[in-house]
Amino acid sequence: MGRPMVLKSLNMVVSGVGGQGLITLASLLAGSAVESGTKALVAETHGLSQRGGSVEVHVRLGDVIAPLVPKGGADLILGLELIETSRTAYYLKENGCILTSDMLLRPGIPNVKMPKREELINFLKKVTDKVYVVPASEMAEKVGGSIFINSVMLGALAATGLLNGLVDINILEKNVRGLRMGEKNLEAFKLGFDYCSRGRCSCR
Amino acid sequence: MSRILGKEGSEVLLLGNEAIARGAIEAGIGFASAYPGTPSTEIVETLAGVAKKLGIYVEWSANEKVALEAAYAASLSGVRALAAMKHVGLNVAADAFMSIAYTGVRSGLLIISAEDPSMWSSQNEQDNRYYGLLAKVPVFEPYTPQEAKDMALYAFDFSEKFEHPVLMTPTTRVSHTRGPVRLGRLRNPTRKGFFKRDIERFTLIPAHARVRRKILVEKWERITDAVSDVPFNRIEGDGKTLIVASGISYAYVREVLNLMKLNDVRLLKLGTPVPLPRGLALKALDGVERVLVVEELEPVVEMQLKALANEEGFSVKVHGKDYVGYEGEMTLERAYSAISEFLGLGRGTPWKPSKASLEEVPELPPRPPAMCPGCPHRATFYVLRRAVNSLRLKPVYSGDIGCYALGVMPPFQQQDIILEMGGSVGTANGFGQVLEGQIPIAIIGDSTFFHAGLPALVNAVYNRSPMLVLVMDNRVTAMTGEQPDPGTGLNAVGEPAPAIKIEEVAKGIGVEKVVVFDPYDTKEAFKALREALEYIIKERKPAVAVAKRACALLIDRMARRRGIRTPKYQVKLDACTACGVCYNAFTCPAISVRDDGKAYILEDLCTGCGVCAQICPFNAIVKVEEGDKEWEDLWF
Ligand SMILES: Cc1ncc(C[n+]2csc(CCOP(=O)(O)OP(=O)(O)O)c2C)c(N)n1
């Protein structure tokens, strides 16, 4: 068995819709990183973005100083909703990885023209070869509702191997269990993890 | 135990604002006040959460001016105090701020103005470091949560040493960045004090103020000398090129220099942009051939450095905004291309989004922030439009700052002006006097009403300006995270407090027509609004309408936490004609559209308010399940 490759730093943009628990996800990940002895920075925007608008959270782990990920500099886009994943795709560096939930949410404005799911996924595939669409809606539903999508996606992320050497997965799991409705969140985390395990969402 | 009270020496992940709160606790503060405002809110929110445990006093003040004045009084009485606000809040508190510099303070007074470059949640991106120059108050500008904590602690000692207030200006990317923070020692707070009279110092009549002015100028000299020794200012590396970076710009510049592997650059890192540390700046300028200042917003450091270089006879040209630009926040790309161009290496950066991600993006619908499912404001806007139309009025909607500002979006577009807090009633005063054939409708929230709307309403009564003042009273300061306000009935630490009724206030200052309605009852709302509007047309005087219904987000969260069931609604598909009123004209985010144009309700998002059932022209939306009895009791 070869030594797993370890990144010196990991730049990711987490995108989704206000209310999907992006900040919970990002701060749980970063808190687990710090507990694992890794430096972590999470840049959030509060206020207006909470009201069901587009939200993007920048997470930087490892050898980093500034809080924001440059456009074209992200190793990973972790998307909680397909339109928002697509909207933030330009953050991805060449050959970066996109891990997105299959959730599609209609914006609350009049006369919306909704893009088709396939259209969005095809676009993402043009951006990079490494696109993994996790059936997170169904998994979250199984656990108890769409509020668990963030934990599903965190589990999926944990299985990609990107966190190796930066975040101890046991610490991450412990902190997921520490959330409100911890057991359910852990169940969601494991569904996401299993889906992406054994190299099925290989971001290397 | 709360992370914020963690053990000395431990390292925890803290939001920048939490770190500032921790720094203040380590400094032993006994008093904290604020009016909420993004990105500053969590500073005092965090302190409120531990106030009882620590035995310190924490309040949400009615506005920033009161917050600052109250904190100032605590400081004069020997209690270390903090007042926090967003950057535009300092405009409201500016009158007090300017004068406090004249009298100085006793125990440490830290004023925090959270800046918002890029205007993530603000109406402007003014640079409040200028306020430091204007008032002669030193400005501390942190670059990480860790430094923010350390600075807060340090600032109290600094303030006390010079008997002078200190202004700290974290930006959104410090206030709202989480990062590791190594905690220091907790100090026991001093909560009670004694005011020792010093009339010549604290009463700024002209004769006293002239003396204080002299003292201020002299003190500013001493502070300018002292900031060279502040540990948040330092020189790193050496070379013939000098780059100066203030506040968070240092983080970006440091990372860019590391990336470029430039070893022959001298970097002056500033944590106190105002006043520019003269001694240290002179050392930094010595022997360099070119200088670039990297800072966000205005050229505050650049100007001071240019003046200093000129005064001291340096011939080196100081660059800054010519490479860095003015607008928006700092980013790695911006710092990289400015430095690269300045060094003659071209404007490129090493980061490249893929071509497809820029050029082949499918058409994506915008997703602006929207009023939440069940938001009482949406119901009020919907009914207001119909009441106005039913009287064939031509309204001018003077809007204001709060969640109801989202009424500027389609389909409502019922905000013609949004200026600053309280501006709705203020501008309606002028409209009321000059408009013919149009009627001013000021739309203001409860928190904003208490903050700065009240004097404008007094003005309307006094000067008889015809207008409708519609107070969207959702019982809390919702936009910034549902903090209690003077109308809520709770204080900052969650204890019961007097609930000031807006309708009583209006009557008390002489408004003759005051109506109160529940926006969830659209018939009653329509009637009340019509009645108020008819009064204004007939009497040409101001009227007040209070739409009273608590923030649905808050109530829904309480219901979910406590496992209380909300009423359930459904669309009867056989009755639905796909007219779109509920999703296109009312636009509740909990209502979605099927492929055939008929509506359906997203059960996860629905709060059970039932307004859609009232506005559906075909009675196709029906209640299918009652909520628990306790649900009704949650509303206050
Ligand atoms: C001078 C100033 N202080 C604070 C803010 C931040 N702020 C924006 S909206 C708002 C609160 C509005 O509360 P309310 O009027 O009750 O309306 P709601 O959001 O509850 O609808 C605050 C505090 C600001 N924009 N300007």
Side-chain angles (χ1 to χ4, degrees), chain B residues 278-321:
Chain B
R278 280 181 74 100
L280 196 67
L282 286 174
K283 232 188 259 172
L285 283 173
D286 188 36
V288 295
E289 287 163 2
R290 47 186 176 180
V291 180
L292 176 70
V293 180
V294 183
E295 62 190 318
E296 290 177 315
L297 305 176
E298 306 298 327
V300 171
V301 169
E302 183 183 337
M303 267 177 19
Q304 295 178 85
L305 194 63
K306 279 178 172 162
L308 180 69
N310 185 280
E311 251 168 65
E312 298 289 334
F314 285 92
S315 58
V316 64
K317 190 160 161 35
V318 176
H319 293 274
K321 289 295 157 189

Side-chain angles (χ1 to χ4, degrees), chain B residues 35-36 64 377 401 403-404 421 445-448 474 476-479:
Chain B
Y35 182 71
E64 292 86 352
H377 297 344
I401 311 223
C403 286
Y404 44 85
M421 286 194 60
D446 47 324
S447 187
T448 305
N474 61 1
V476 288
T477 315
M479 178 97 272

Side-chain angles (χ1 to χ4, degrees), chain A residues 11 16-18 23 26-28 30-32 34 37-54 56 58 60 63-73 81-84 86-87 89-94 105-115 119-120 123 126-128 141 144-147 180, chain B residues 11-13 15 38 42 120-122 143-145 172-174 176-180 248 250-252 254-255 258 329-333 349-354 356-358 360-372 403 406 409-411 478-482 553 560-561 583-585 587-589 591-593 602 604-605:
Chain A
N11 287 297
V17 177
I23 290 181
S27 51
L28 195 130
S32 307
V34 171
T38 300
K39 182 169 178 187
L41 293 172
V42 181
E44 311 164 355
T45 45
H46 294 195
L48 275 172
S49 52
Q50 286 178 346
R51 305 283 177 267
S54 308
E56 62 181 56
H58 295 216
R60 305 189 76 205
D63 190 10
V64 296
I65 306 171
L68 292 178
V69 176
K71 301 185 173 69
E81 195 273 349
L82 274 169
I83 295 174
E84 300 312 320
S86 306
R87 211 193 298 283
Y90 60 77
Y91 275 109
L92 200 67
K93 69 177 191 195
E94 235 148 330
L105 279 172
R106 181 183 182 277
I109 50 173
N111 310 312
V112 192
K113 193 172 148 266
M114 282 290 277
E119 193 187 351
L120 297 175
F123 160 65
K126 278 188 222 158
V127 173
T128 177
E141 220 45 66
S146 58
I147 53 164
R180 239 169 33 85
Chain B
E11 189 179 56
V12 289
L13 186 76
L15 196 63
T38 317
E42 299 81 5
W120 293 107
S121 27
S122 306
Y143 85 98
T144 54
T172 295
R173 298 305 182 184
V174 174
H176 284 170
T177 288
R178 277 171 224 272
I248 192 154
Y250 166 76
Y252 293 103
R254 183 70 269 169
E255 198 164 321
N258 292 354
E329 66 182 347
M330 191 55 59
T331 60
L332 278 170
E333 301 94 302
T349 78
W351 304 285
K352 270 177 211 59
S354 78
S357 72
L358 298 173
E360 298 186 45
V361 195
E363 201 183 314
L364 301 174
R367 196 189 305 272
M371 288 177 270
C372 304
C403 286
L406 296 169
M409 298 289 183
M479 178 97 272
T480 48
E482 295 108 16
L553 187 64
R560 282 173 202 269
R561 294 235 160 116
Y583 54 79
N584 283 334
T587 55
C588 177
I591 302 178
S592 203
V593 199
L602 301 166
D604 266 5
L605 295 180

